[in-house]
């Protein structure tokens, strides 16, 4: 059920003539694979993720899911944000069932499907409460239920746990990959946190800044569930840190800018 | 006051615990009760002064006792009901059109940045014109007095509703749109399930303001040609020197206005999804 995502030569400028935010991104994510995307703040991670979700169309190149070009959002490739953004006028259940209701499913059926998910996420006793009375972690769980309710092929996560306390974060870092493996969902997570990348992904992509490019990759071949204290975890973490520092000394970014300016000059001439 | 407190204490400690809510309810009422009593006392005092002033004794019927007796007569004879009904009818129709025009336009200028930029100055300008200033134009433009009055009421209600709605739309968390789009919401679904519930509180707050303005504008508007309504009744009472009836109608206007505002307050509570 997981989908293949291919990034076909994506370049993006937010305005015509501006320096590209993303440049010539090419990659392929296999069905059921879990990928983490790390990089400096402002390098374009969210931008790229919005493109995978169909919320933003790249100015050049395209995103393909199972070979079909992504041209608009769909509940089949679902995104979770840093803020849960639940709708406070709806109950927990209604929030979770929203995608199903949008697709035209009857309320009773949608609710019975959502109840299973809420149970799985430990929220079954909260399903009729006002979402504003939930803790941050519980709200993010409801958002997760909302994303999973539509049977997505792809789950896109944009720093979804960064506002949570350490305990909840660790719990969700374990639960979400387990769910994705269970349901065979392709997952892409954007994060600032190297530990989180190692804990959740099969593969980590490192992005550079100005322009945003994928400049490095690291395969994480650790058994599940992953523990932060494990020796393998620590060594991979150090490896990723070194690799990240190498590609991101600020110099790489500046060099890239000079290169593009040269290219442009050549093109003009 | 102190006896009440001791009663409350013995009530909670004793067997009849179920009295506690009644007592706390009564306790909550004591400040409004003080306020109302003060108002009545001032009114009575004013009536007393007027009655004893040789220049003004003709207005002595404004005092509480004649007023309440006139009010009793108005209610007992049933004369007051058609008057109230025709006034309420005008306000409701005015409010209806205020909502029908104000909410969609408010959504538009709140949602579309350019529409806001274009409409802001003219609408702020129009808003500051007293609805009553439209009276001559309304009389010319509409065939019946009723329609002219309703037009004035629409001019009174549309602005608060429109601006409050626009404000509500601009306050919507942009992430709510993003999430809904991501879940596959169509345009109408977005409107019905996201935008309208999100702005409901603000729309209701606008309606509450509008009801207040409309009720204030209604009475002078009914001084116009019509022969029904509370404004007309006041004018009529003045012409027949029935000052007790006049004061009774003023009382009715205040009571109904207060009632309308209370209903709006309850509706706001009902539609409010913010946690207190
Ligand atoms: N709508 C927009 N219009 C113009 N520029 C934008 C827009 N959105 C993002 N940018 C720019 O694109 C760049 C990448 O932004 P993006 O939000 O993708 O970064 P990010 O890697 O997600 O950062 P963070 O880790 O802080 O979330 C930034 O320099 C930002 O200023
Ligand atoms: Mg981001």
């Amino acid at each position: 059920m997981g989908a293949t995502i291919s990034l076909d030569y994506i370049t993006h400028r937010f305005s015509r003539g501006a320096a590209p935010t993303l440049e010539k991104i090419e990659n392929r994510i296999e069905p059921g694979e879990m990928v983490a995307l790390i990089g400096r703040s402002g390098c374009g991670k969210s931008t790229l993720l919005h493109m995978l979700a169909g919320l933003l169309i790249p100015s050049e190149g395209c995103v393909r899911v199972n070979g079909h070009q992504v041209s608009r959002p769909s509940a089949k490739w679902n995104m979770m944000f840093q803020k849960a953004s639940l709708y406070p006028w709806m109950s927990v259940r209604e929030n979770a069932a929203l995608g199903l209701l949008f697709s035209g499913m009857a309320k009773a059926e949608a609710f019975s499907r959502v109840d299973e998910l809420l149970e799985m996420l430990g929220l079954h006793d909260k399903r009729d409460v006002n979402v504003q009375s939930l803790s941050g972690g519980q709200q993010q769980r409801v958002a997760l239920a909302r994303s999973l309710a539509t049977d997505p092929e792809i789950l896109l996560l944009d720093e979804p746990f960064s506002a949570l306390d350490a305990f909840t974060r660790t719990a969700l870092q374990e639960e979400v990959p387990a769910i994705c493996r269970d349901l065979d969902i392709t997952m892409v997570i954007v994060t600032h946190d190297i530990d989180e990348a190692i804990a959740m992904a099969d593969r980590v992509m490192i992005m550079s800044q100005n322009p945003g490019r994928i400049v490095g990759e690291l395969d994480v071949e650790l058994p599940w569930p992953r523990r932060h204290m494990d020796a393998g975890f620590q060594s991979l973490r150090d490896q990723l840190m070194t690799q990240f520092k190498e590609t991101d000394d600020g110099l790489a970014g500046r060099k890239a800018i000079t290169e593009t300016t040269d290219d442009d000059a050549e093109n003009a001439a | 006051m102190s006896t009440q407190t001791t009663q409350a204490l013995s009530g909670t400690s004793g067997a009849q615990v179920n009295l506690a809510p009644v007592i706390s309810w009564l306790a909550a009422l004591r400040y409004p009760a003080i306020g109302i009593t003060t108002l009545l006392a001032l009114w009575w005092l004013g009536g007393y002064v007027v009655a004893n002033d040789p220049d003004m004794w003709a207005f002595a019927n404004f005092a509480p006792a004649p007023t309440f007796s006139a009010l009793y007569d108005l209610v007992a004879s049933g004369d007051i009901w058609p008057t109230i009904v025709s006034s309420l009818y005008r306000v409701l129709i005015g409010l209806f059109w205020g909502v029908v025009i104000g909410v969609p336009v408010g959504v538009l200028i709140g949602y579309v940045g350019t529409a806001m930029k274009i409409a802001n100055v003219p609408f702020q300008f129009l808003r500051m014109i007293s609805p009553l200033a439209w009276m001559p134009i309304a009389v010319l433009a509409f065939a019946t007095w009723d329609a002219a009055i309703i037009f004035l009421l629409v001019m009174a209600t549309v602005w608060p509703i429109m601006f409050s709605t626009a404000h509500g739309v601009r306050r919507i968390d942009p992430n709510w749109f993003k999430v809904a789009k991501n879940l596959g919401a169509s345009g109408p679904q977005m409107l019905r399930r996201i935008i309208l519930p999100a702005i409901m509180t603000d729309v209701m707050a606008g309606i509450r303001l509008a009801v207040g303005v409309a009720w204030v504008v209604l009475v002078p508007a009914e001084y116009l040609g019509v022969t029904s309504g509370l404004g007309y009744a006041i004018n009529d009472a003045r012409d027949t020197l029935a000052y007790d009836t006049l004061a009774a109608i003023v009382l009715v206007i205040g009571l109904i206005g207060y009632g309308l505002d209370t209903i709006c307050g309850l509706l706001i509570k009902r539609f409010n999804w913010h946690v207190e």
Side-chain angles (χ1 to χ4, degrees):
Chain A
M1 204 183 52
T4 315
I5 309 172
S6 76
L7 309 174
D8 291 355
Y9 227 60
I10 292 176
T11 296
H12 189 71
R13 295 164 211 268
F14 275 106
S15 57
R16 196 177 285 276
T21 304
L22 300 177
E23 194 178 59
K24 297 175 189 164
I25 292 185
E26 256 202 300
N27 214 290
R28 188 181 157 85
I29 299 167
E30 300 301 328
E33 194 182 11
M34 288 185 267
V35 171
L37 199 56
I38 62 170
R40 289 274 147 165
S41 181
C43 72
K45 303 181 296 293
S46 299
T47 307
L48 186 58
L49 210 62
H50 277 74
M51 285 171 182
L52 298 186
L55 290 166
L56 187 67
I57 304 300
S59 32
E60 285 168 48
C62 70
V63 177
R64 289 177 200 277
V65 172
N66 289 337
H68 299 292
Q69 185 170 343
V70 171
S71 58
R72 62 192 150 86
S74 154
K76 287 285 154 198
W77 37 91
N78 219 300
M79 186 144 164
M80 262 179 82
F81 305 91
Q82 181 173 355
K83 275 178 62 191
S85 295
L86 302 176
Y87 301 100
W89 53 88
M90 300 179 194
S91 68
V92 166
R93 243 179 176 182
E94 284 173 299
N95 266 287
L98 198 58
L100 297 175
L101 298 178
F102 282 154
S103 73
M105 186 183 280
K107 218 172 185 167
E109 195 187 343
F111 279 1
S112 74
R113 285 183 59 172
V114 158
D115 282 352
E116 278 171 42
L117 278 171
L118 292 178
E119 182 131 17
M120 180 176 89
L121 294 166
L123 288 163
H124 49 282
D125 55 333
K126 299 275 186 215
R127 60 191 188 198
D128 290 317
V129 309
N130 186 314
V131 291
Q132 290 170 101
S133 65
L134 299 179
S135 72
Q138 290 169 328
Q139 293 195 10
Q140 205 53 284
R141 280 170 196 270
V142 177
L144 182 60
R146 177 173 68 187
S147 293
L148 293 174
T150 50
D151 269 339
E153 299 170 339
I154 302 172
L155 192 60
L156 305 164
L157 308 165
D158 194 352
E159 302 177 33
F161 313 136
S162 53
L164 304 180
D165 67 276
F167 294 111
T168 317
R169 196 186 314 143
T170 316
L172 280 166
Q173 283 172 355
E174 208 174 302
E175 277 175 59
V176 171
I179 291 169
C180 288
R181 273 152 16 98
D182 233 33
L183 304 176
D184 195 18
I185 297 172
T186 309
M187 182 193 86
V188 181
I189 180 168
V190 162
T191 178
H192 276 132
D193 181 351
I194 292 206
D195 280 6
E196 184 165 271
I198 303 279
M200 293 180 69
D202 300 316
R203 178 157 63 104
V204 183
M205 293 191 213
I206 304 171
M207 249 176 106
S208 67
Q209 198 170 6
N210 282 328
R213 274 189 187 148
I214 294 172
V215 290
E217 286 198 357
L218 180 74
D219 287 323
V220 184
E221 278 155 6
L222 291 175
W224 304 92
R226 294 170 178 172
R227 303 269 170 233
H228 292 229
M229 296 78 73
D230 294 351
F233 194 103
Q234 290 300 333
S235 76
L236 265 175
R237 182 187 181 285
D238 294 341
Q239 204 179 322
L240 182 57
M241 197 58 147
T242 326
Q243 202 173 341
F244 183 67
K245 285 219 175 97
E246 273 166 14
T247 54
D248 171 78
D249 49 1
L251 237 161
R254 243 169 280 146
K255 212 174 99 212
I257 289 179
T258 343
E259 270 171 24
T260 43
T261 333
D262 289 348
D263 282 357
D264 288 349
E266 275 170 32
N267 290 347
Chain B
M1 207 64 64
S2 61
T3 41
Q4 219 178 17
T5 327
T6 31
Q7 267 170 8
L9 285 176
S10 62
T12 41
S13 58
Q16 289 172 309
V17 185
N18 55 350
L19 264 184
V22 178
I23 287 166
S24 74
W25 186 68
L26 283 177
L29 275 186
R30 69 178 182 246
Y31 293 113
I34 294 171
I36 293 167
T37 313
T38 311
L39 189 64
L40 282 174
L42 285 174
W43 183 11
W44 178 85
L45 197 68
Y48 180 80
V49 171
V50 166
N52 287 295
D53 187 322
D55 290 336
M56 294 201 291
W57 64 268
F59 303 107
N61 276 351
F62 276 123
T67 301
F68 281 111
S69 131
L71 181 63
Y72 177 81
D73 289 343
L74 280 175
V75 174
S77 68
D79 286 351
I80 194 73
W81 302 120
T83 309
I84 291 176
V85 167
S86 48
S87 280
L88 277 181
Y89 167 80
R90 288 178 190 126
V91 164
L92 286 181
I93 299 293
L95 195 63
F96 171 78
W97 286 110
V99 171
V100 166
I101 300 167
V103 172
V105 177
V107 169
L108 184 75
I109 61 178
Y111 196 60
V112 184
T114 323
M116 181 71 203
K117 283 181 201 151
I118 294 172
N120 193 32
V121 173
F123 283 178
Q124 293 287 358
F125 167 80
L126 288 171
R127 181 177 79 105
M128 296 313 285
I129 300 170
S130 161
L132 291 168
W134 297 104
M135 202 183 281
I137 297 170
V139 171
L140 282 177
F142 290 91
T144 64
W145 289 106
D146 245 337
I149 290 174
I150 287 169
F151 170 76
L152 297 186
L153 293 173
V154 174
M155 292 310 280
T157 54
V158 77
W159 309 115
I161 294 174
M162 187 185 294
F163 283 102
S164 192
T165 305
H167 175 246
V169 172
R170 259 173 299 154
R171 239 170 28 142
I172 298 180
D173 185 342
N175 286 320
W176 285 345
F177 291 124
K178 212 152 73 176
V179 168
K181 252 191 230 161
N182 194 213
L183 290 169
S186 66
Q189 284 172 332
M190 183 79 92
L191 187 68
R192 197 174 86 75
R193 291 209 179 260
I194 312 296
I195 299 179
L196 288 183
I199 63 173
M200 207 55 197
T201 319
D202 293 282
V203 173
M204 289 311 301
I207 289 178
R208 185 183 197 169
L209 282 175
V211 167
V213 181
W215 195 245
V216 168
V217 166
L218 173 78
V219 172
E222 281 178 342
Y223 289 169
L224 280 171
V226 289
T227 52
S228 63
L230 292 161
Y232 166 77
I234 285 199
N235 244 359
D236 190 49
R238 188 197 60 188
D239 292 346
T240 57
L241 307 182
Y243 295 127
D244 48 354
T245 310
L246 199 161
I249 290 166
V250 169
L251 202 63
V252 168
I253 290 172
L255 284 174
I256 294 179
Y258 183 82
L260 288 175
D261 191 63
T262 308
I263 293 172
C264 289
L266 289 174
L267 284 176
I268 288 180
K269 263 214 184 112
R270 163 73 185 72
F271 285 110
N272 186 11
W273 41 260
H274 298 275
V275 170
E276 275 89 47

